[in-house]
């Protein structure tokens, strides 16, 4: 009897499992990374990019969703992210997301260079707050900081200005330390 779910060959398992076990991330952000990894594999992408991370952040993190508010903007944004695998974004397949604007992270662990850099900057942002683990809001701030990120392109197409997102992040009330994990 053939298994119902085909196994991936070693060549197909490009996206590595380490980052979602990183102690520098909250449990919520680790779940976001796992969701982005599944989406990348399902979409046939070789690496997790910023658009995978944004999509997963919106699905899993209420604090990130609150930055975008309710209304047609968030629906339009999710629509573009969903369309990625069925048309919009297909031109990204087979290419590497790297703006060159941010420093290169040596060990990308299945992430595009830009997404790996965003993960690092999210951890640095959290460390600057006093060493607590990185949250989804930290990753969102890191993603929108690079104008060449695929996620930023999706934001523009959905009519959402990355500057407004950055301002929304700044306006979020600080979360109590006891709720970070």
């Amino acid at each position: 009897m053939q298994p119902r779910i085909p196994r991936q060959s070693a060549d197909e398992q490009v996206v590595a499992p380490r980052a979602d076990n990183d102690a520098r991330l909250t449990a919520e952000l680790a779940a976001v990374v796992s969701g982005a990894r599944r989406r990348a594999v399902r979409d046939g992408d070789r690496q997790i990019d910023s658009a995978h991370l944004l999509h997963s952040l919106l699905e899993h993190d209420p604090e990130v969703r609150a930055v975008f508010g309710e209304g047609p903007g968030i629906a339009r944004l999710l629509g573009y992210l969903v369309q990625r695998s069925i048309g919009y974004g297909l031109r990204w397949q087979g290419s590497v997301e790297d703006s060159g604007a941010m420093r290169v992270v040596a060990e990308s662990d299945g992430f595009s260079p830009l997404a790996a850099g965003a993960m690092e900057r999210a951890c640095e942002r959290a460390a600057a707050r006093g060493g607590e683990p990185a949250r989804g809001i930290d990753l969102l701030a890191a993603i929108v900081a690079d104008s060449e990120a695929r996620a930023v392109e999706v934001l523009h197409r959905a009519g959402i200005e990355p500057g407004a997102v950055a301002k929304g992040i700044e306006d979020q009330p600080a979360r109590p330390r006891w709720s970070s994990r």
Side-chain angles (χ1 to χ4, degrees):
M1 180 173 178
Q2 292 287 337
R4 292 178 60 161
I5 302 172
R7 295 187 187 270
Q8 291 180 322
S9 71
D11 292 340
E12 292 174 316
Q13 295 176 356
V14 176
V15 182
R18 197 181 114 230
D20 46 359
N21 294 325
D22 191 332
R24 300 176 304 159
L25 309 180
T26 60
E28 295 88 357
L29 187 51
V32 165
V33 172
S34 292
R37 175 172 287 108
R38 284 189 301 275
R39 187 168 299 289
V41 169
R42 185 175 54 242
D43 290 350
D45 295 328
R46 297 187 66 209
Q47 296 177 321
I48 298 168
D49 67 20
S50 63
H52 293 122
L53 290 169
L54 177 61
H55 197 163
S56 194
L57 280 166
L58 290 169
E59 287 179 332
H60 297 287
D61 194 322
E63 188 177 22
V64 166
R65 269 193 312 278
V67 169
F68 292 92
E70 298 295 322
I74 188 75
R76 199 169 34 253
L77 176 58
L78 285 168
Y80 273 107
L81 288 165
V82 167
Q83 289 178 27
R84 174 191 176 122
S85 63
I86 58 171
Y88 173 74
L90 285 179
R91 62 190 161 82
W92 292 333
Q93 283 187 340
S95 65
V96 175
E97 178 189 41
D98 182 17
S99 69
M102 303 294 181
R103 72 175 185 277
V104 176
V105 177
E107 180 62 39
S108 65
D109 215 15
F111 290 86
S112 71
L114 191 144
M119 292 296 295
E120 275 304 310
R121 285 186 306 285
C123 291
E124 290 167 2
R125 186 175 191 266
R129 271 197 315 273
E132 64 186 62
R135 304 185 334 243
I137 204 81
D138 297 316
L139 180 57
L140 180 62
I143 289 171
V144 299
D146 191 331
S147 63
E148 298 297 316
R150 290 176 179 170
V152 170
E153 181 181 335
V154 175
L155 288 171
H156 281 298
R157 288 191 178 263
I160 299 171
E161 285 303 314
V165 175
K167 173 109 176 69
I169 292 167
E170 290 173 19
D171 293 345
Q172 286 289 310
R175 202 164 83 168
R177 227 178 199 309
W178 50 266
S179 67
S180 66
R181 260 214 189 247

